[in-house]
Amino acid sequence: MTVRIEDGCIGCGACESICDAVFKVEDVATVNEAEVEANIDCVKEAAESCPVGVIVVE
Ligand code: SF4
């Protein structure tokens, strides 16, 4: 699976707090693709928790 962050991230930090192996948030979130497969459960949880729905898992 791949994960990307669409335009519109508000930098809230929720994804990093849920799944910090994959998401890092400074101004906006970035994704460490190398860790996605091993952490797919929390990646999905982060995507569901993003307040603006910009985390796309496909
Ligand atoms: S949870 Fe969504 S809005 Fe918040 S930092 Fe992560 S991608 Fe951005």
Side-chain angles (χ1 to χ4, degrees):
M1 305 199 81
T2 61
V3 180
R4 59 187 164 81
I5 310 293
E6 296 187 319
D7 291 346
C9 171
I10 58 173
C12 71
C15 54
E16 182 173 345
S17 66
I18 292 167
C19 198
D20 70 350
V22 173
F23 299 98
K24 291 289 177 246
V25 181
E26 292 184 6
D27 291 339
V28 296
T30 57
V31 173
N32 179 358
E33 287 283 352
E35 292 293 330
V36 168
E37 292 297 342
N39 294 280
I40 193 65
D41 288 346
C42 72
V43 166
K44 290 178 177 174
E45 185 181 346
E48 289 167 5
S49 300
C50 175
V52 289
V54 296
I55 301 174
V56 178
V57 183
E58 56 191 10

